[in-house]
Amino acid sequence: MRRVLGALALSVSVVLVPVSGTAVAASPPHTTDSFGGPGGGAPGRGGAPHTIVTDGAKLANVKQAIRGGHATKAQRDALKAVLAKADTALTAGPWSVMDKPSAPPSGDKHDYTSQAPYWWASQPKTPENPQGCPYVSKDGQRNPEADAITDHTYRMWAWDAMYYLSLAWYYTGDAKYAKRAALDIRTWFLDPATRMNPNMAYSQIVPCRNTVSGTGIIDSTQSFSQLMDAFALLDGGAPGWTGTDRSGIKAWLTQYLSWMQTSPQAKLELAATNNHGTFLDMQNATISAYLGKRSEAKKIVVDAEQRRFPVQFAADGSQPLELSRTMSWHYVNFNLTAWGRLAEVGRNLGVDVWKYRAANGVTLRKVVDQLIPAALHGAEVWPHQQIGVFDQSIAADIFHAAAEEAHDTDTAKALKQMPLPAGGDTWPVRVSCFPLDPPLK
């Protein structure tokens, strides 16, 4: 039985070499890739890795500060938190879609499967109606039945583990992290016996219904892009990560991207006007960029600005589509993590999303600044519905991004006063927006 990694319960004891004395191994030279430079995460100019979302130069600067013994306290604390997550991942997993208790409608357990979390049986379950059909939507109320299908949870744990293990290898040069990341990746994506098929056709199935829906794709799009940076870092010479692994991942991603752009589910999701559409654009842009399709990736970012800004953002910076949800605080931040990452990959492609101004005058900075009062003072100043916990700290990443990329002094000031994530603010060593944890749909 595979051991599991709880993304929110990392109660581990970490032995961390003092950062001032950390010896970080330099990445070895590698072959040329489609970017015209060293492969994937290998050092480019100034030793920066060719990461897809994250600014590689920022990662290189942090690594140099750690190596030189002049890292800030925030960077030291963030590195300790990242290594804690990576150390837990060393003995958790590996995970596979084959571990779920039953097969999806296709009959193939290699197909990722999950149940729509906010749908509930409306009738008593009886021998005549064993499922309690029909199912009805209760926005924001998670049905525990969904957890019986393990792919959703294992996907979250596995993809987080791959990212943190790769980042830990980049900063420490310790082979154990890279080798474990490679094992997890091969198990989930490449090994014929355990791999996931490159589609999300059976994600967020609603019991009693056979209609085609694109909403389940959010299971992937909310966190898949972090893997492009993980792959890129490993491509920079990670021990245990082979040329066969790299070519296998690129082949898998090519099929996945095609499905994400042409399948009936993907076409419905691309037409979504709320966070679902943002996340799919962001995911497809990052995959395209990793595969070397820079012009295609750039077009996705530019089109997203032009199509989605006027629909999602009002002139005052509010997000009407997300504010209509029962968990409005969660969803306005959720959508902005997608925009933050879209802006980050756009920057690497020569597109400055932070400078884009829609016809109604709204900018991404203005949308982010709308959240400052609630991030500082909580539910008492938030006039919209938010069932469950009001977690002020979930705005931290997009505030970091606004402060650094848009030179937003207001969010920079707010970061010094607002509650930060309970597990530690790891932005100083990630330096990119990260999916909200735990993911909610």
Side-chain angles (χ1 to χ4, degrees):
M1 188 65 156
R2 291 181 172 87
R3 299 170 63 185
V4 295
L5 166 65
L8 294 178
L10 293 167
S11 55
V12 296
S13 176
V14 181
V15 179
L16 181 62
V17 177
V19 174
S20 60
T22 301
V24 183
S27 300
H30 279 269
T31 57
T32 301
D33 71 354
S34 54
F35 286 85
R45 292 183 180 180
H50 287 295
T51 39
I52 305 305
V53 180
T54 311
D55 185 337
K58 289 182 179 180
L59 288 179
N61 288 339
V62 174
K63 184 175 179 179
Q64 188 60 42
I66 293 169
R67 179 185 301 184
H70 49 85
T72 65
K73 183 179 185 301
Q75 289 170 335
R76 294 195 300 270
D77 290 346
L79 179 61
K80 185 175 181 178
V82 164
L83 294 185
K85 295 174 185 290
D87 285 343
T88 297
L90 286 172
T91 54
W95 303 268
S96 167
V97 291
M98 299 301 288
D99 292 338
K100 57 181 169 282
S102 59
S106 66
D108 186 353
K109 291 181 76 173
H110 289 279
D111 287 328
Y112 177 96
T113 314
S114 64
Q115 181 172 316
Y118 296 160
W119 287 77
W120 296 71
S122 64
Q123 302 297 322
K125 297 184 178 182
T126 65
E128 295 76 24
N129 185 7
Q131 290 184 291
C133 300
Y135 268 54
V136 296
S137 176
K138 298 181 180 181
D139 187 38
Q141 300 179 47
R142 184 175 180 84
N143 187 341
E145 285 181 6
D147 297 326
I149 304 174
T150 55
D151 284 358
H152 177 276
T153 300
Y154 287 1
R155 178 268 309 160
M156 178 178 69
W157 290 342
W159 294 2
D160 274 0
M162 294 168 198
Y163 173 80
Y164 284 114
L165 287 164
S166 301
L167 193 62
W169 172 75
Y170 175 75
Y171 279 125
T172 68
D174 193 326
K176 67 184 179 185
Y177 295 123
K179 290 178 179 179
R180 189 67 188 199
L183 173 63
D184 287 345
I185 293 168
R186 281 194 294 269
T187 303
W188 190 274
F189 295 108
L190 301 178
D191 187 331
T194 57
R195 73 192 292 267
M196 170 186 163
N197 287 335
N199 71 75
M200 296 289 286
Y202 303 101
S203 56
Q204 293 201 18
I205 293 172
V206 178
C208 313
R209 300 177 65 179
N210 295 317
T211 56
V212 174
S213 171
T215 56
I217 292 176
I218 197 74
D219 277 12
S220 170
T221 58
Q222 66 180 345
S223 55
F224 191 70
S225 62
Q226 72 201 44
L227 296 186
M228 300 309 105
D229 278 351
F231 300 152
L233 289 173
L234 294 176
D235 289 343
W241 184 246
T242 68
T244 300
D245 294 329
R246 186 180 179 195
S247 61
I249 279 295
K250 289 197 170 187
W252 194 96
L253 289 172
T254 298
Q255 295 179 61
Y256 200 53
L257 179 61
S258 177
W259 190 91
M260 286 290 179
Q261 293 176 320
T262 63
S263 68
Q265 293 93 332
K267 289 178 179 179
L268 288 171
E269 193 76 336
L270 286 167
T273 53
N274 66 351
N275 67 77
H276 283 251
T278 316
F279 272 102
L280 184 51
D281 280 342
M282 183 269 291
Q283 176 192 259
N284 288 351
T286 60
I287 297 174
S288 297
Y290 179 76
L291 293 174
K293 301 178 179 181
R294 290 177 60 84
S295 60
E296 181 177 320
K298 183 175 181 177
K299 185 177 187 303
I300 292 172
V301 177
V302 172
D303 286 350
E305 289 177 327
Q306 297 173 351
R307 289 185 299 110
R308 301 199 184 280
F309 261 57
V311 176
Q312 293 188 1
F313 304 144
D316 65 356
S318 63
Q319 301 179 62
L321 295 174
E322 310 305 336
L323 290 175
S324 68
R325 302 294 297 272
T326 62
M327 296 194 301
S328 61
W329 173 249
H330 169 85
Y331 278 103
V332 294
N333 282 280
F334 188 56
N335 190 42
L336 284 176
T337 62
W339 276 109
R341 292 182 73 76
L342 198 60
E344 287 160 359
V345 70
R347 175 200 54 229
N348 291 332
L349 297 166
V351 181
D352 192 340
V353 177
W354 287 101
K355 288 186 177 179
Y356 183 78
R357 184 181 297 273
N360 63 0
V362 75
T363 63
L364 186 55
R365 174 176 174 171
K366 188 173 185 177
V367 178
V368 174
D369 285 353
Q370 275 271 318
L371 308 186
I372 292 175
L376 291 174
H377 305 292
E380 64 185 60
V381 299
W382 186 250
H384 312 284
Q385 186 177 13
Q386 171 62 36
I387 63 175
V389 176
F390 194 100
D391 184 357
Q392 295 159 247
S393 74
I394 62 176
D397 268 15
I398 194 63
F399 281 18
H400 276 297
E404 293 191 16
E405 300 300 324
H407 309 293
D408 188 341
T409 56
D410 293 328
T411 54
K413 182 180 179 181
L415 281 165
K416 297 178 181 179
Q417 303 173 40
M418 64 182 281
L420 294 176
D425 184 6
T426 54
W427 172 279
V429 295
R430 283 189 288 105
V431 290
S432 66
C433 284
F434 208 64
L436 297 185
D437 198 5
L440 298 170
K441 314 303 179 297

